[in-house]
Coordinates of all heavy atoms in Angstrom, one line a residue:
M1 N 8.2 23.0 -52.9 CA 8.9 23.8 -51.9 C 8.0 23.7 -50.6 O 6.8 24.0 -50.6 CB 9.1 25.2 -52.4 CG 9.6 26.2 -51.3 SD 10.2 27.8 -51.8 CE 8.8 28.5 -52.5
V2 N 8.7 23.6 -49.5 CA 8.1 23.6 -48.2 C 8.2 24.9 -47.5 O 9.4 25.3 -47.3 CB 8.5 22.4 -47.3 CG1 7.8 22.4 -45.9 CG2 8.3 21.0 -48.1
L3 N 7.2 25.6 -47.1 CA 7.3 26.8 -46.3 C 7.2 26.5 -44.8 O 6.2 25.9 -44.3 CB 6.2 27.8 -46.8 CG 6.4 28.1 -48.2 CD1 5.2 29.0 -48.5 CD2 7.6 28.9 -48.5
T4 N 8.1 27.0 -44.1 CA 8.1 26.8 -42.6 C 8.4 28.2 -41.9 O 9.1 29.0 -42.5 CB 9.1 25.8 -42.2 OG1 10.3 26.1 -42.6 CG2 8.8 24.4 -42.7
P5 N 7.8 28.4 -40.9 CA 8.1 29.8 -40.1 C 9.6 29.8 -39.8 O 10.2 28.8 -39.4 CB 7.3 29.6 -38.9 CG 6.3 28.6 -39.1 CD 6.8 27.7 -40.1
R6 N 10.2 31.0 -39.8 CA 11.6 31.2 -39.5 C 11.5 31.4 -38.0 O 11.5 32.5 -37.5 CB 12.1 32.4 -40.3 CG 12.3 32.2 -41.7 CD 12.7 33.4 -42.4 NE 11.6 34.3 -42.4 CZ 11.7 35.6 -42.7 NH1 12.8 36.2 -42.9 NH2 10.6 36.3 -42.7
T7 N 11.7 30.4 -37.2 CA 11.7 30.5 -35.8 C 13.1 30.1 -35.2 O 13.7 29.3 -35.7 CB 10.6 29.7 -35.1 OG1 10.8 28.2 -35.5 CG2 9.2 30.2 -35.5
P8 N 13.5 30.7 -34.2 CA 14.8 30.4 -33.6 C 14.7 29.1 -33.0 O 13.6 28.5 -32.7 CB 15.0 31.4 -32.5 CG 13.8 32.0 -32.2 CD 12.8 31.9 -33.4
P9 N 15.8 28.4 -32.8 CA 15.8 27.0 -32.0 C 15.1 27.2 -30.7 O 15.2 28.3 -30.1 CB 17.2 26.6 -32.0 CG 18.0 27.7 -32.6 CD 17.1 28.7 -33.1
T10 N 14.5 26.1 -30.2 CA 13.8 26.2 -28.9 C 15.0 26.5 -27.8 O 15.9 25.7 -27.8 CB 13.1 24.9 -28.7 OG1 12.2 24.6 -29.7 CG2 12.5 24.9 -27.3
A11 N 14.7 27.4 -26.9 CA 15.7 27.7 -26.0 C 15.4 27.0 -24.7 O 14.2 26.5 -24.5 CB 15.6 29.2 -25.6
P12 N 16.4 26.6 -23.9 CA 16.2 25.9 -22.7 C 15.3 26.7 -21.8 O 15.2 28.0 -21.9 CB 17.6 25.8 -22.1 CG 18.5 26.2 -23.1 CD 17.8 26.9 -24.2
A13 N 14.6 26.0 -20.8 CA 13.7 26.7 -19.9 C 14.4 27.8 -19.1 O 13.7 28.7 -18.7 CB 13.1 25.6 -19.0
Y14 N 15.6 27.7 -18.9 CA 16.3 28.7 -18.1 C 16.8 29.9 -18.8 O 17.3 30.9 -18.2 CB 17.5 28.0 -17.4 CG 18.5 27.5 -18.3 CD1 19.5 28.3 -18.9 CD2 18.5 26.2 -18.7 CE1 20.5 27.8 -19.7 CE2 19.4 25.6 -19.5 CZ 20.3 26.4 -20.1 OH 21.3 25.9 -21.0
A15 N 16.7 29.9 -20.2 CA 17.1 31.1 -21.0 C 16.2 32.2 -20.8 O 14.9 32.1 -20.6 CB 17.1 30.6 -22.5
P16 N 16.7 33.4 -20.8 CA 15.9 34.6 -20.6 C 15.0 34.8 -21.9 O 15.3 34.4 -22.9 CB 16.9 35.7 -20.5 CG 18.2 35.2 -21.2 CD 18.1 33.7 -21.0
A17 N 13.9 35.4 -21.6 CA 12.9 35.7 -22.7 C 13.6 36.7 -23.7 O 14.5 37.5 -23.3 CB 11.6 36.3 -22.1
P18 N 13.2 36.6 -24.9 CA 13.8 37.6 -25.9 C 13.5 39.0 -25.3 O 12.4 39.4 -24.8 CB 13.0 37.3 -27.2 CG 12.1 36.1 -27.0 CD 12.2 35.8 -25.5
S19 N 14.5 39.9 -25.7 CA 14.2 41.3 -25.3 C 13.1 41.9 -26.1 O 12.8 41.5 -27.2 CB 15.6 42.1 -25.5 OG 15.8 42.3 -26.8
V20 N 12.6 43.0 -25.5 CA 11.6 43.7 -26.3 C 12.2 44.3 -27.5 O 11.6 44.2 -28.6 CB 11.0 44.9 -25.4 CG1 10.1 45.8 -26.2 CG2 10.2 44.3 -24.2
Q21 N 13.4 44.7 -27.4 CA 14.1 45.3 -28.6 C 14.2 44.3 -29.8 O 14.0 44.6 -30.9 CB 15.4 45.9 -28.3 CG 16.1 46.5 -29.5 CD 17.5 47.2 -29.0 OE1 17.9 47.0 -27.9 NE2 18.0 48.0 -29.9
S22 N 14.7 43.1 -29.4 CA 14.8 42.0 -30.4 C 13.5 41.6 -31.0 O 13.4 41.3 -32.3 CB 15.6 40.8 -29.9 OG 14.9 40.1 -28.9
A23 N 12.5 41.6 -30.2 CA 11.1 41.2 -30.6 C 10.6 42.3 -31.6 O 9.9 42.0 -32.6 CB 10.2 41.0 -29.4
H24 N 10.9 43.6 -31.2 CA 10.4 44.6 -32.0 C 11.1 44.6 -33.4 O 10.5 44.8 -34.5 CB 10.8 46.0 -31.3 CG 10.3 47.2 -32.0 ND1 9.0 47.5 -32.1 CD2 10.9 48.1 -32.8 CE1 8.8 48.7 -32.8 NE2 10.0 49.0 -33.2
L25 N 12.4 44.3 -33.4 CA 13.2 44.2 -34.7 C 12.6 43.0 -35.5 O 12.4 43.1 -36.7 CB 14.6 43.9 -34.4 CG 15.5 43.8 -35.7 CD1 15.4 45.0 -36.5 CD2 17.0 43.6 -35.1
A26 N 12.2 41.9 -34.9 CA 11.7 40.8 -35.6 C 10.4 41.1 -36.2 O 10.0 40.8 -37.3 CB 11.5 39.6 -34.6
A27 N 9.5 41.9 -35.5 CA 8.3 42.3 -36.0 C 8.4 43.3 -37.1 O 7.7 43.2 -38.1 CB 7.4 43.1 -34.9
L28 N 9.4 44.2 -37.1 CA 9.7 45.0 -38.2 C 10.0 44.3 -39.4 O 9.6 44.5 -40.6 CB 10.7 46.1 -37.8 CG 10.2 47.2 -36.8 CD1 11.4 48.1 -36.4 CD2 9.2 48.0 -37.4
E29 N 11.0 43.3 -39.2 CA 11.4 42.5 -40.4 C 10.3 41.8 -41.0 O 10.3 41.7 -42.3 CB 12.6 41.6 -39.9 CG 13.9 42.3 -39.6 CD 15.0 41.4 -39.0 OE1 14.6 40.3 -38.7 OE2 16.1 41.9 -38.8
A30 N 9.5 41.1 -40.2 CA 8.4 40.4 -40.7 C 7.4 41.3 -41.5 O 6.8 41.0 -42.6 CB 7.6 39.6 -39.6
N31 N 7.2 42.5 -40.9 CA 6.3 43.4 -41.5 C 6.8 43.9 -42.9 O 6.1 44.1 -43.9 CB 6.2 44.7 -40.6 CG 4.9 45.5 -41.0 OD1 3.9 45.0 -41.6 ND2 5.1 46.8 -40.9
E32 N 8.1 44.2 -42.9 CA 8.7 44.6 -44.2 C 8.6 43.4 -45.3 O 8.4 43.7 -46.4 CB 10.2 45.0 -44.0 CG 10.3 46.3 -43.3 CD 9.7 47.4 -44.1 OE1 9.8 47.5 -45.4 OE2 9.0 48.2 -43.5
A33 N 8.9 42.2 -44.8 CA 8.6 41.1 -45.8 C 7.2 40.9 -46.2 O 7.0 40.6 -47.4 CB 9.2 39.7 -45.1
I34 N 6.2 41.2 -45.3 CA 4.9 41.2 -45.8 C 4.6 42.2 -46.8 O 4.0 42.0 -47.8 CB 4.0 41.3 -44.5 CG1 4.0 40.1 -43.6 CG2 2.5 41.6 -44.9 CD1 3.4 40.3 -42.3
R35 N 5.0 43.4 -46.5 CA 4.8 44.5 -47.4 C 5.4 44.3 -48.8 O 4.8 44.5 -49.9 CB 5.4 45.8 -46.9 CG 4.6 46.4 -45.7 CD 5.2 47.8 -45.3 NE 4.5 48.2 -44.1 CZ 3.5 48.8 -44.0 NH1 2.8 49.2 -45.1 NH2 2.8 49.2 -42.9
A36 N 6.6 43.6 -48.8 CA 7.3 43.4 -50.0 C 6.5 42.3 -50.9 O 6.4 42.5 -52.1 CB 8.7 42.9 -49.8
L37 N 6.0 41.3 -50.2 CA 5.3 40.3 -51.0 C 4.0 40.9 -51.4 O 3.6 40.7 -52.6 CB 4.9 39.1 -49.9 CG 4.1 38.0 -50.5 CD1 4.8 37.4 -51.6 CD2 3.8 37.0 -49.4
V38 N 3.3 41.6 -50.6 CA 1.9 42.3 -51.0 C 2.2 43.2 -52.2 O 1.5 43.2 -53.3 CB 1.3 43.0 -49.9 CG1 0.1 43.8 -50.4 CG2 0.8 41.9 -48.9
D39 N 3.3 44.1 -52.1 CA 3.6 45.0 -53.2 C 3.9 44.4 -54.5 O 3.6 44.8 -55.6 CB 4.8 46.0 -52.8 CG 4.3 47.0 -51.8 OD1 3.1 47.2 -51.4 OD2 5.1 47.6 -51.1
A40 N 4.7 43.2 -54.3 CA 5.2 42.5 -55.6 C 4.0 41.9 -56.3 O 4.0 41.7 -57.5 CB 6.1 41.4 -55.2
R41 N 2.9 41.6 -55.6 CA 1.8 40.9 -56.2 C 0.5 41.8 -56.3 O -0.6 41.3 -56.5 CB 1.4 39.6 -55.4 CG 2.5 38.6 -55.2 CD 2.9 38.1 -56.5 NE 1.9 37.5 -57.2 CZ 1.9 37.0 -58.5 NH1 2.9 37.3 -59.3 NH2 0.8 36.5 -59.0
A42 N 0.7 43.1 -56.2 CA -0.3 44.0 -56.3 C -1.2 43.8 -57.6 O -0.7 43.8 -58.6 CB 0.1 45.4 -56.2
G43 N -2.5 43.7 -57.4 CA -3.4 43.6 -58.5 C -3.4 42.2 -59.2 O -4.0 42.1 -60.2
Q44 N -2.6 41.2 -58.6 CA -2.5 39.9 -59.3 C -3.1 38.8 -58.4 O -3.2 39.0 -57.2 CB -1.0 39.6 -59.6 CG -0.4 40.6 -60.5 CD 1.0 40.3 -60.7 OE1 1.5 39.2 -60.7 NE2 1.9 41.4 -60.8
D45 N -3.5 37.7 -59.0 CA -3.9 36.6 -58.2 C -2.6 36.0 -57.5 O -1.6 36.0 -58.1 CB -4.6 35.6 -59.0 CG -6.0 36.1 -59.5 OD1 -6.6 36.8 -58.8 OD2 -6.4 35.5 -60.6
W46 N -2.8 35.4 -56.4 CA -1.7 34.8 -55.7 C -1.8 33.3 -55.9 O -2.8 32.7 -55.8 CB -1.8 35.1 -54.1 CG -1.5 36.5 -53.8 CD1 -1.6 37.6 -54.5 CD2 -0.9 37.0 -52.6 NE1 -1.2 38.7 -53.9 CE2 -0.8 38.3 -52.6 CE3 -0.6 36.3 -51.3 CZ2 -0.3 39.0 -51.6 CZ3 -0.1 37.0 -50.3 CH2 0.0 38.4 -50.4
S47 N -0.6 32.7 -56.0 CA -0.5 31.3 -56.1 C -0.6 30.6 -54.8 O -0.6 31.4 -53.8 CB 0.8 30.9 -56.8 OG 1.8 31.1 -55.7
P48 N -1.0 29.4 -54.7 CA -1.0 28.7 -53.3 C 0.3 28.9 -52.5 O 0.3 29.1 -51.3 CB -1.3 27.2 -53.6 CG -2.0 27.3 -54.9 CD -1.4 28.5 -55.8
V49 N 1.4 28.8 -53.2 CA 2.7 29.0 -52.6 C 2.9 30.4 -52.0 O 3.3 30.7 -50.8 CB 3.9 28.7 -53.5 CG1 5.2 29.1 -52.9 CG2 3.8 27.2 -53.9
E50 N 2.4 31.4 -52.7 CA 2.5 32.8 -52.3 C 1.5 33.0 -51.1 O 1.9 33.7 -50.1 CB 2.2 33.8 -53.4 CG 3.3 33.9 -54.5 CD 2.9 34.4 -55.8 OE1 1.6 34.4 -56.1 OE2 3.7 35.0 -56.4
S51 N 0.4 32.5 -51.2 CA -0.6 32.6 -50.1 C 0.0 31.9 -48.8 O -0.2 32.5 -47.7 CB -2.0 31.9 -50.4 OG -2.5 32.5 -51.5
A52 N 0.6 30.8 -49.0 CA 1.2 30.1 -47.8 C 2.4 30.9 -47.3 O 2.5 31.1 -46.0 CB 1.7 28.7 -48.2
A53 N 3.2 31.5 -48.1 CA 4.2 32.4 -47.6 C 3.7 33.5 -46.9 O 4.3 33.9 -45.8 CB 5.1 32.9 -48.8
Y54 N 2.6 34.1 -47.4 CA 2.0 35.2 -46.7 C 1.5 34.8 -45.3 O 1.7 35.5 -44.2 CB 0.8 35.8 -47.4 CG 0.1 36.9 -46.8 CD1 0.6 38.2 -46.8 CD2 -1.2 36.7 -46.3 CE1 -0.1 39.2 -46.2 CE2 -2.0 37.8 -45.7 CZ -1.4 39.0 -45.7 OH -2.1 40.0 -45.2
E55 N 0.9 33.6 -45.1 CA 0.4 33.1 -43.9 C 1.5 32.9 -42.9 O 1.4 33.3 -41.7 CB -0.4 31.9 -44.1 CG -1.8 32.0 -44.7 CD -2.5 30.8 -44.8 OE1 -2.4 29.9 -44.0 OE2 -3.2 30.6 -45.8
V56 N 2.6 32.4 -43.4 CA 3.8 32.1 -42.5 C 4.3 33.5 -42.0 O 4.6 33.6 -41.0 CB 4.9 31.4 -43.3 CG1 6.3 31.4 -42.6 CG2 4.5 30.0 -43.5
L57 N 4.4 34.6 -42.9 CA 4.9 35.8 -42.5 C 4.0 36.4 -41.4 O 4.4 37.1 -40.5 CB 5.1 36.7 -43.7 CG 6.2 36.4 -44.6 CD1 6.1 37.2 -45.8 CD2 7.5 36.6 -43.9
L58 N 2.6 36.3 -41.6 CA 1.7 36.8 -40.6 C 1.8 36.1 -39.2 O 1.8 36.7 -38.2 CB 0.3 36.6 -41.1 CG -0.2 37.5 -42.1 CD1 -1.6 37.2 -42.5 CD2 -0.1 39.0 -41.7
I59 N 2.2 34.9 -39.3 CA 2.4 34.1 -38.0 C 3.7 34.6 -37.3 O 3.7 34.8 -36.1 CB 2.6 32.6 -38.3 CG1 1.1 32.0 -38.6 CG2 3.0 31.8 -37.1 CD1 1.2 30.6 -39.2
E60 N 4.7 34.8 -38.1 CA 6.0 35.3 -37.6 C 5.7 36.8 -37.0 O 6.2 37.1 -35.9 CB 7.0 35.4 -38.6 CG 7.5 34.1 -39.1 CD 8.5 34.2 -40.2 OE1 9.0 35.3 -40.6 OE2 9.0 33.2 -40.8
W61 N 4.9 37.6 -37.7 CA 4.8 39.0 -37.2 C 3.9 38.9 -36.0 O 4.2 39.6 -35.0 CB 4.0 39.7 -38.3 CG 3.6 41.1 -37.9 CD1 4.3 42.2 -37.9 CD2 2.3 41.5 -37.4 NE1 3.6 43.2 -37.4 CE2 2.4 42.8 -37.1 CE3 1.1 40.8 -37.1 CZ2 1.3 43.5 -36.5 CZ3 0.0 41.4 -36.5 CH2 0.1 42.8 -36.3
A62 N 2.9 38.1 -35.9 CA 2.1 38.0 -34.7 C 2.8 37.5 -33.5 O 2.7 38.1 -32.4 CB 0.8 37.1 -35.0
A63 N 3.7 36.5 -33.7 CA 4.5 36.0 -32.6 C 5.5 37.1 -32.1 O 5.7 37.3 -30.9 CB 5.3 34.8 -33.1
A64 N 6.1 37.9 -33.0 CA 7.0 38.9 -32.7 C 6.3 40.1 -31.9 O 6.8 40.5 -31.0 CB 7.8 39.4 -33.9
T65 N 5.1 40.5 -32.4 CA 4.4 41.5 -31.7 C 3.9 41.1 -30.3 O 3.9 42.0 -29.4 CB 3.2 42.1 -32.5 OG1 2.3 41.0 -32.8 CG2 3.6 42.6 -33.9
R66 N 3.6 39.8 -30.1 CA 3.3 39.4 -28.8 C 4.5 39.4 -27.8 O 4.4 39.8 -26.7 CB 2.7 37.9 -28.8 CG 1.2 37.9 -29.2 CD 0.6 36.5 -28.9 NE 1.3 35.5 -29.7 CZ 1.0 35.1 -30.9 NH1 0.0 35.7 -31.6 NH2 1.7 34.1 -31.5
A67 N 5.6 39.1 -28.4 CA 6.8 39.0 -27.7 C 7.4 40.6 -27.3 O 8.1 40.8 -26.4 CB 7.9 38.4 -28.3
A68 N 6.9 41.4 -28.1 CA 7.3 42.8 -27.9 C 6.6 43.5 -26.8 O 6.8 44.7 -26.5 CB 7.0 43.7 -29.3
A69 N 5.8 42.8 -25.9 CA 5.2 43.3 -24.7 C 4.4 44.5 -24.8 O 4.6 45.5 -24.2 CB 6.3 43.4 -23.7
G70 N 3.5 44.5 -25.9 CA 2.6 45.5 -26.0 C 2.9 46.7 -27.0 O 2.1 47.6 -27.2
D71 N 4.1 46.6 -27.6 CA 4.3 47.5 -28.8 C 3.4 47.2 -29.9 O 3.0 46.2 -30.2 CB 5.7 47.3 -29.3 CG 6.8 47.9 -28.3 OD1 6.5 48.5 -27.4 OD2 8.0 47.6 -28.6
I72 N 2.9 48.3 -30.5 CA 1.9 48.2 -31.5 C 2.6 48.5 -32.8 O 3.2 49.5 -33.0 CB 0.7 49.2 -31.3 CG1 0.0 48.9 -30.1 CG2 -0.3 49.1 -32.6 CD1 -1.1 49.8 -29.7
I73 N 2.6 47.6 -33.8 CA 3.1 47.6 -35.0 C 2.1 47.3 -36.1 O 1.5 46.2 -35.9 CB 4.4 46.7 -35.2 CG1 5.4 47.0 -34.0 CG2 5.0 46.8 -36.6 CD1 6.5 46.0 -33.9
E74 N 1.8 48.1 -37.0 CA 0.8 47.8 -38.0 C 1.3 46.9 -39.1 O 2.3 47.1 -39.6 CB 0.4 49.1 -38.6 CG -0.9 49.0 -39.6 CD -1.2 50.3 -40.1 OE1 -1.2 51.3 -39.4 OE2 -1.8 50.3 -41.2
A75 N 0.5 45.8 -39.3 CA 0.8 44.9 -40.4 C 0.4 45.5 -41.8 O -0.5 46.3 -41.8 CB 0.3 43.5 -40.1
A76 N 1.1 45.0 -42.8 CA 0.7 45.3 -44.2 C -0.6 44.8 -44.5 O -1.1 43.8 -44.1 CB 1.8 44.8 -45.1

Side-chain angles (χ1 to χ4, degrees):
M1 172 165 65
V2 177
L3 297 173
T4 56
R6 293 175 284 165
T7 56
T10 305
Y14 59 88
S19 72
V20 171
Q21 185 176 11
S22 66
H24 185 73
L25 180 59
L28 288 174
E29 289 173 354
N31 195 35
E32 287 302 314
I34 291 167
R35 288 181 189 276
L37 179 61
V38 170
D39 288 346
R41 301 300 299 166
Q44 302 176 31
D45 290 334
W46 287 27
S47 72
V49 171
E50 291 164 331
S51 294
Y54 179 73
E55 287 182 35
V56 169
L57 289 169
L58 284 179
I59 291 167
E60 291 177 7
W61 175 84
T65 56
R66 279 192 300 272
D71 285 352
I72 298 173
I73 302 170
E74 184 177 331

